[in-house]
């Protein structure tokens, strides 16, 4: 069984037992704070229709070097149930990318940019390749 099939099997086994509003589960266990913020963003984007996150648009990493896990949520990973499918925080080409830094035990919003994260280039420091309006790409190192 390859990795993709393993993820599908994991999802199938957990979907009926997991009362979370996002359907795409990865093998990675998100922090409670991340799950809360994911739920909040789904609710804001999709309303009572609900929706799900693509795990490739959720990044938990130490963004400011303090040893604690911070968060980046890329709205391009949200799929709402029903129409419209895309988050209203997405335009024709890019979406909101929100950054949260852990302070006093809570994830606090510290920034928002437009783009679509294509991939994580490096984990130390966290560095991302981001698509901008017009299709150009840049390297982004988020921080406080």
């Amino acid at each position: 069984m390859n990795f993709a099939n393993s993820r599908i099997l994991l999802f199938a086994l957990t979907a009926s037992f997991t009362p979370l509003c996002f359907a795409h589960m990865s093998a990675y266990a998100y922090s409670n704070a991340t799950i809360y913020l994911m739920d909040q963003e789904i609710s804001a984007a999709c309303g009572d229709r609900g929706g799900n996150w693509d795990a490739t648009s959720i990044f938990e990493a130490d963004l400011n070097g303090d040893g604690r896990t911070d968060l980046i949520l890329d709205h391009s990973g949200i799929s709402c149930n029903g129409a419209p499918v895309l988050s209203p925080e997405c335009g024709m080409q890019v979406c909101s990318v929100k950054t949260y830094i852990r302070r006093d035990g809570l994830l606090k919003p510290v920034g928002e940019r437009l783009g679509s994260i294509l991939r994580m280039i490096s984990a130390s420091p966290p560095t991302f390749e981001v698509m901008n309006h017009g299709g150009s790409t840049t390297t982004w190192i988020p921080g406080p």
Side-chain angles (χ1 to χ4, degrees):
M1 179 179 294
N2 65 30
F3 180 71
N5 288 340
S6 298
R7 289 177 64 174
I8 291 169
L9 179 60
L10 175 64
F11 170 73
L13 292 173
T14 60
S16 61
F17 301 109
T18 306
L20 301 174
C21 72
F22 52 93
H24 188 281
M25 297 291 293
S26 74
Y28 180 80
Y30 297 112
S31 71
N32 288 337
T34 294
I35 291 170
Y36 174 81
L37 290 169
M38 290 167 64
D39 285 347
Q40 292 299 306
E41 293 299 321
I42 287 281
S43 180
C46 305
D48 60 2
R49 295 178 292 137
N52 63 66
W53 278 98
D54 182 328
T56 62
S57 65
I58 303 160
F59 302 91
E60 288 187 312
D62 181 4
L63 301 176
N64 59 356
D66 67 357
R68 297 182 294 175
T69 304
D70 305 306
L71 176 65
I72 296 173
L73 295 176
D74 179 350
H75 266 251
S76 66
I78 291 178
S79 295
C80 297
N81 298 327
V85 174
L86 294 178
S87 167
E89 294 198 34
C90 293
M92 293 294 289
Q93 296 177 328
V94 296
C95 299
S96 290
V97 176
K98 298 182 179 185
T99 304
Y100 301 84
I101 299 293
R102 192 170 300 277
R103 293 193 179 126
D104 301 323
L106 299 173
L107 287 168
K108 306 279 184 154
V110 295
E112 184 173 353
R113 66 168 288 155
L114 293 176
S116 180
I117 297 176
L118 300 174
R119 66 186 177 104
M120 179 182 253
I121 299 169
S122 169
S124 184
T127 306
F128 299 89
E129 181 181 10
V130 178
M131 183 180 75
N132 303 303
H133 281 285
S136 67
T137 60
T138 56
T139 301
W140 176 51
I141 301 173

